Each structure stands twice: as structure tokens, then as C-alpha cells.
Amino acid sequence: MPGFELFGEEERKHVNDVLETGILMRYGFDAARKGIWKADELEKAVIQTFGCQYAHLTSSGTAALTTAFAALGIGVGDEVIMPSFTFVASFEAVLSVGAIPVLVDVDESLTPIPAAVEAAITPRTKCIMPVHMCGSMAYLDELAAICQKHNLLLLEDACQSIGGTYKGKHLGTIGHAGTFSFDFVKTITCGEGGVVMTNDQAIWEKCDGYTDHGHDHKGADRGADLHPFIGYNFRISELHAAVGLAQIQKLPTILAMQRKNNQLLRQHLQQIPEVSFRIVPDPAGDNGAFLSWFLPTAELMQAFVAEMKAQNALAGHFYWFNNNWHYIKKWDHLKTATSLNTIHESQKVALLALSTQDFSVSDAVLSRCVSTAISLTWTEEQIHAKGQQMVEVLKKVLNK
Ligand SMILES: *Cc1c(COP(=O)(O)O)cnc(C)c1O
């Protein structure tokens, strides 16, 4: 799964370039930095690798989402439709700009059901935010059509699906804006970091200013920059960008290894007729980071999880249904609207209503699902041993 498994000489070299000059900031200090501009270089590499027109790096994936919302003009009172299954960062970013997360069910694609999305639209809806979870994609054609029909913005949270594609286009480059996270466990990492991608110059310019205290970056002298709007500091550092520059060059290798290992493991599970696999709207575009699969009932999957745990082999297998970070069921802080600072009344009302919302459709999916993380460091022997163990456990659980 994560790029950190391939950390080495290349990352050290790029970081050392920065350490040589000591200029750790991405802006200014033009003479002292001796031509080293790692963040600029990484943005260019993102544009080239993923085929978007503009890219702006941030300090995290969460910051990238927050920045994208601000640049899209989404704020207090606006509703953002998003899935019940995602990492907590997705709703954190919605809340951070004062907007309201509206959660909808997912199906066996592990992404929002288009009909549920359309049914959730109200006059306050501004944006649809699908999350391309676990390396694979949402129903982008259907969601884009809904956006067009209702005049809504499409923001792709592609933080977990770097390198994945949909009908030949990279995930994160298809909506009005899209984001990646480069945190430590993502497909490629900066240590911490993120990026907003867009094909709209005006959106990019807003991201560029918003992440740097509103600086317009138009003059040669940073101190003389104007501030056309209020911004914050969501900047990436040169050290982090340097790591990312080495990692993005490894992306083709990472994707090839992930997909190969994923396929080898899948061949084992395919022997069991009761096992089914995640729906992938464009199978060629799965980045391979996870193998997500289902059993016919929640009881069977819980028995599998219990037996794997008993065999001390559960590491790397994610049973999201009981996971604190990824599914509505355990998001108690969200459902009780527990925030350190006062949140807007419209947000509070919507969050408290989540505890009585019916998520039985999502429950029926997630309670039968496990995502197995694919490691880059597995040998073929290890994959076969893992696959055989899973098959044995499945046979035991299924009484075969
Ligand atoms: C990791 C992740 C984020 C946020 O990324 P950070 O860089 O950790 O802030 C957002 N959304 C999803 C789906 C993620 O997995």
C-alpha cells in the first residue's frame, strides 16, 4: 500500500538538496536557495503525472480539502453530500469551512450510491464530494451527470486513490477540483502533505493565496504582496516536497507492484465461491492499494475476523464496520456534535440528526466487507502463504 515502504536513497538525495541550502520554505529567499524549488517542481510533476492543468500543494490532505472548499466558495449553510464510509478528514474539512456534511449510503463499490446522492439534494446543496476509497473509484459518470443536472460542484476526495483512473483520466482530475493526501500511509508520501488539482485557473489562484495568508504572489517581493482575500497557512515545506518529488518518480513502480500483488492474492480468494469482490466502475483504473471483498453475511465476516485475530494474523485486514476512523457507526464525536469551539447552529442541527438517520443500507455492505491492504514488500511466497491462510480460515468459517 504505502510509498513509505520504498523510502530510500532518492528521498534522501532530494531532502539533502534542501538541507544544503537551508531554505526550508517554499517561497522567497531567491538568492540563498540556489535554484532549489522542490514544491514548485513537485507541482509541475503532479500536473504532468496526473494530467490536470493546475496543482497546488498543501500541508496535508485535510488542508487540501479545506482549501478546495474555500476556493469553490462553499461555506456556512451550504450542504455537501458525501459518503457514510470515508476517513474522518472528509467531514472535518466540510465542517472547517462552516458547511454541512450530508451523509449518504454506499453500495458494494464502497462509494456513494448515485440515487441516494440525488435523493439527498436540497435547495442548500452546493457540492457532491465522492470519496474514492481504498484505491478505487466512485460512479463518476453518474455523479457528474447529477452535478450538471442540478448545477452542483463536484469535488473528488481522491486522497486514497493516487494513480487510480476512470475511463483513462486520473482520479482527482475529473471534478471541478480533486485532492490527494501525501500523509505517511498513502500511495506516495511527503511525510505530511496534500495537493488540490483543478483545470480551472481561477480555482487554482484561490488555492494558491488561501494556503499562504491570502498572498497574491504577484510581485517579486513577498513583503509587498497584496491580500485580495483572507487566507490561512496551509503551506507545504520544502523538506516535505522534496520527499514527494522522489516518491512521485516511484509511482509507476508502486502501482505495478500493488496491482501485481493484489492480483496474486485475489487468485486465492477466488477459489471460494462465497467470496465476492468490490464493484469497480472501471476495473482498469483500480490503483490496487487494497483488495476489498465480501462474504454473504455479517456473521460470517465477523467469524473470519475473529479467527484471523485468534491466529494473530489480522494485521492489514480492515473490518471497517467496527473501525473508529472510517465509518459513521463509530463517529460518536460527529453524531454528538462534540466540538471544542462553537460550531454554527445549522451544522449542529444536521450533526445531531445523524444519530437517527437510517444507514442500514451501508451497514449491510460494510458489515460483510474486509479490505486487505496490499504491501509493496511482500515476496510471492509471502503472498501465497497469506492467501492460503485466508482460504483455510474461510473454509473453517464456512464449515467446508
Ligand atoms: C488520508 C485521507 C484524507 C486526509 O489526509 P491527511 O493528509 O491525513 O490530512 C482525506 N480523505 C481521505 C479519504 C483520506 O484517506
Side-chain angles (χ1 to χ4, degrees):
M1 175 176 84
F4 78 75
E5 292 179 318
L6 297 189
F7 191 95
E9 268 319 301
E10 303 79 3
E11 285 77 2
R12 278 189 283 278
K13 187 211 162 279
H14 282 288
V15 171
N16 273 330
D17 290 345
V18 177
L19 294 178
E20 291 291 330
T21 67
I23 305 303
L24 311 186
M25 185 175 177
R26 70 165 297 179
Y27 298 117
F29 304 93
D30 293 24
R33 66 193 312 136
K34 302 198 172 100
I36 304 287
W37 299 89
K38 296 296 182 187
D40 283 359
E41 243 191 286
L42 181 53
E43 282 165 353
K44 289 194 185 96
V46 166
I47 289 166
Q48 217 189 354
T49 306
F50 302 105
C52 53
Q53 287 187 45
Y54 303 94
H56 187 74
L57 292 166
T58 56
S59 50
S60 72
T62 314
L65 286 169
T66 296
T67 299
F69 282 128
L72 293 171
I74 292 163
V76 171
D78 296 332
E79 293 178 354
V80 176
I81 300 177
M82 55 169 282
S84 59
F85 172 56
T86 179
F87 182 55
V88 288
S90 309
F91 67 69
E92 290 167 0
V94 176
L95 294 171
S96 74
V97 295
I100 299 165
V102 173
L103 271 53
V104 300
D105 280 318
V106 298
D107 66 10
E108 291 191 7
S109 73
L110 305 181
T111 69
I113 301 168
V117 169
E118 190 155 28
I121 293 172
T122 75
R124 292 174 300 282
T125 307
K126 259 285 192 57
C127 175
I128 297 175
M129 176 173 63
V131 183
H132 305 306
M133 279 299 276
C134 309
S136 173
M137 79 262 4
Y139 298 101
L140 278 168
D141 276 351
E142 291 81 350
L143 296 176
I146 293 170
C147 284
Q148 192 147 35
K149 180 172 158 198
H150 297 272
N151 197 21
L152 302 174
L153 296 162
L154 182 65
L155 170 60
E156 298 173 77
D157 179 343
C159 288
Q160 290 199 9
S161 297
I162 300 169
T165 56
Y166 180 71
K167 300 190 176 174
K169 287 186 181 162
H170 273 276
L171 302 179
T173 68
I174 295 163
H176 296 90
T179 63
F180 289 153
S181 162
F182 300 130
D183 82 20
F184 195 55
V185 296
K186 297 305 203 278
T187 305
I188 55 175
T189 185
C190 291
E192 298 284 1
V195 69
V196 184
M197 294 170 290
T198 181
N199 296 314
D200 182 328
Q201 186 178 3
I203 292 173
W204 169 78
E205 258 185 42
K206 288 172 187 166
C207 293
D208 181 67
Y210 186 78
T211 52
D212 186 25
H213 307 293
H215 277 266
D216 67 359
H217 298 141
K218 293 224 158 95
D221 173 8
R222 182 171 167 77
D225 275 352
L226 298 178
H227 304 93
F229 50 80
I230 296 168
Y232 299 90
N233 178 359
F234 294 138
R235 292 187 304 254
I236 195 163
S237 82
E238 284 286 280
L239 291 171
H240 292 90
V243 175
L245 209 43
Q247 287 264 306
I248 201 168
Q249 284 152 7
K250 296 179 180 180
L251 183 63
T253 310
I254 291 172
L255 292 174
M257 290 167 86
Q258 245 171 211
R259 286 172 170 149
K260 174 168 164 269
N261 293 352
N262 191 308
Q263 199 53 38
L264 287 175
L265 189 64
R266 185 181 173 117
Q267 280 165 13
H268 285 274
L269 294 197
Q270 269 168 344
Q271 299 164 22
I272 308 282
E274 287 84 352
V275 168
S276 62
F277 295 92
R278 172 186 192 171
I279 297 170
V280 179
D282 176 6
D286 190 335
N287 93 351
F290 289 87
L291 180 62
S292 298
W293 54 281
F294 300 86
L295 284 175
T297 68
E299 292 67 31
L300 284 170
M301 193 51 106
Q302 277 155 19
F304 170 84
V305 169
E307 180 58 27
M308 290 294 280
K309 193 169 180 189
Q311 296 189 14
N312 205 17
L314 193 58
H317 301 282
F318 295 94
Y319 185 53
W320 304 117
F321 190 59
N322 281 340
N323 178 291
N324 282 346
W325 298 100
H326 293 82
Y327 186 53
I328 177 75
K329 187 156 92 72
K330 292 272 177 91
W331 291 342
D332 290 332
H333 59 323
L334 183 72
K335 291 185 276 186
T336 55
T338 305
S339 170
L340 294 181
N341 54 329
T342 307
I343 61 170
H344 193 265
E345 192 58 25
S346 61
Q347 293 180 309
K348 195 167 180 182
V349 169
L351 296 187
L352 295 177
L354 287 173
S355 35
T356 52
Q357 190 177 332
D358 177 10
F359 288 105
S360 55
V361 171
S362 303
D363 286 346
V365 171
L366 271 305
S367 62
R368 298 185 294 107
C369 178
V370 157
S371 295
T372 302
I374 303 300
S375 171
L376 303 173
T377 62
W378 287 342
T379 63
E380 285 200 18
E381 291 70 37
Q382 284 172 322
I383 297 170
H384 293 311
K386 274 173 197 297
Q388 270 159 18
Q389 183 178 27
M390 288 171 79
V391 165
E392 288 311 313
V393 170
L394 283 166
K395 284 184 176 161
K396 183 170 174 189
V397 163
L398 293 161
N399 286 319
K400 287 195 160 183

